[in-house]
């Protein structure tokens, strides 16, 4: 038994996670590496070793990248978006795409302008619409939008109208970026809502998607 040699289980038996009595530190096995597909279908906030698994900005951006790849496969410009809500212990939890202790994914989308013939069908716009429909309200003040390309004026404006809490994007857009590159709608004090922006998460991976897509079209 582990107790006989100076170890004390930190959680119920059957999970191989221990701490030493003398040094009081965890002897956890390494965190498993999940594929993006596995991340999308997990509905428990425990990993394979029974420990709490907390998603990072990079994890959510990987999900957005998967949506962008789906768009490219449909002939759309590869841009993907994910909306994450801070967990409010909703009774809707059994329907979630993914859930953790503090937050949950409530909407995902890729670009769909060609498919829908709609100039407003950017990934962010569709994801915001899905999120609002899911929550039954337009105000998304407890939500963060992850998107592979810096939002344009239209999408940044929609985020302002939705009163989002935060936006995380991958690659900057030197021709249309409205969250820091050409404009900074998120921090314009003349309008009635500002929100946090974190740029450059998996920037190279996001930029490569676009570069490869347009290279193949030339």
């Amino acid at each position: 038994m582990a107790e006989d040699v100076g170890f004390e289980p930190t959680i119920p038996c059957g999970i191989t996670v221990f701490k030493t009595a003398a040094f009081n530190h965890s002897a956890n096995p390494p965190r498993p590496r999940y594929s993006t597909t596995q991340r999308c279908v997990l509905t428990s906030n425990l990993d394979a070793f029974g420990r709490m698994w907390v998603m990072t900005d990079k994890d959510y951006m990987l999900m957005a990248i998967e949506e962008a790849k789906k768009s490219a496969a449909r002939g759309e410009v590869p841009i993907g978006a994910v909306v994450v809500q801070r967990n409010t212990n909703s009774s809707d939890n059994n329907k979630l795409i993914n859930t953790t202790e503090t937050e949950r994914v409530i909407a995902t989308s890729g670009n769909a302008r060609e498919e829908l013939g709609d100039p407003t069908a950017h990934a962010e716009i569709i994801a915001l619409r899905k999120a609002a429909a899911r929550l039954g309200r337009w105000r998304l003040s407890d939500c963060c939008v992850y998107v592979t390309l810096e939002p344009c004026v239209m999408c940044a404006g929609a985020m302002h109208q939705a009163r989002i809490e935060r936006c995380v994007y991958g690659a900057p857009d030197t021709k249309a970026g409205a969250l820091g590159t050409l404009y900074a709608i998120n921090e314009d004090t003349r309008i009635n809502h500002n929100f946090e922006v974190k740029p450059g998460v998996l920037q190279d991976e996001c930029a490569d998607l676009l570069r490869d897509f347009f290279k193949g079209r030339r």
Side-chain angles (χ1 to χ4, degrees):
M1 293 295 291
E3 292 87 340
D4 296 333
V5 291
F7 283 83
E8 172 188 352
T10 60
I11 53 181
C13 294
I15 304 297
T16 55
V17 179
F18 301 97
K19 65 179 181 179
T20 62
F23 300 102
N24 193 33
H25 68 269
S26 175
N28 292 343
R31 173 182 171 179
R33 293 183 178 275
Y34 293 99
S35 69
T36 304
T37 301
Q38 287 173 310
R39 272 191 283 269
C40 291
V41 301
L42 281 175
T43 55
S44 171
N45 58 349
L46 299 180
D47 68 15
F49 298 105
R51 296 163 301 166
M52 191 65 69
W53 171 37
V54 178
M55 296 279 280
T56 67
D57 286 341
K58 287 185 178 181
D59 290 320
Y60 289 123
M61 189 60 72
L62 284 169
M63 294 177 68
I65 287 173
E66 286 299 307
E67 293 299 319
K69 289 178 179 177
K70 293 177 187 176
S71 291
R74 300 193 304 268
E76 303 278 357
V77 176
I79 301 170
V82 171
V83 180
V84 176
Q85 182 199 26
R86 281 187 286 105
N87 197 348
T88 55
N89 297 317
S90 168
S91 60
D92 192 37
N93 279 353
N94 62 322
K95 301 177 183 177
L96 300 182
I97 298 171
N98 181 72
T99 183
T100 71
E101 183 182 29
T102 58
E103 54 196 24
R104 61 181 190 166
V105 173
I106 56 172
T108 63
S109 182
N111 195 23
R113 287 192 301 177
E114 301 298 332
E115 180 182 357
L116 300 179
D118 181 353
T120 71
H122 289 198
E124 305 96 302
I125 298 292
I126 298 172
L128 286 170
R129 288 172 178 163
K130 286 182 177 180
R134 180 68 171 276
L135 297 178
R137 52 181 165 88
W138 64 266
R139 188 181 291 272
L140 304 177
S141 55
D142 52 355
C143 294
C144 175
V145 178
Y146 292 83
V147 60
T148 55
L149 181 67
E150 180 181 1
C152 66
V153 172
M154 176 183 71
C155 294
M159 292 177 190
H160 161 260
Q161 292 295 331
R163 306 297 192 265
I164 69 163
E165 182 176 51
R166 184 171 179 253
C167 177
V168 177
Y169 70 81
D173 188 345
T174 57
K175 296 182 178 179
L179 292 183
T181 300
L182 300 182
Y183 308 96
I185 289 175
N186 60 297
E187 58 184 30
D188 190 332
T189 57
R190 296 171 297 177
I191 55 180
N192 61 352
H193 175 71
N194 297 143
F195 54 93
E196 178 188 348
V197 169
K198 181 177 180 180
V201 174
L202 297 181
Q203 175 176 331
D204 292 342
E205 291 87 338
C206 293
D208 285 346
L209 278 176
L210 292 162
R211 190 177 299 111
D212 292 345
F213 177 82
F214 288 112
K215 186 185 296 182
R217 291 298 181 96
R218 294 193 184 105

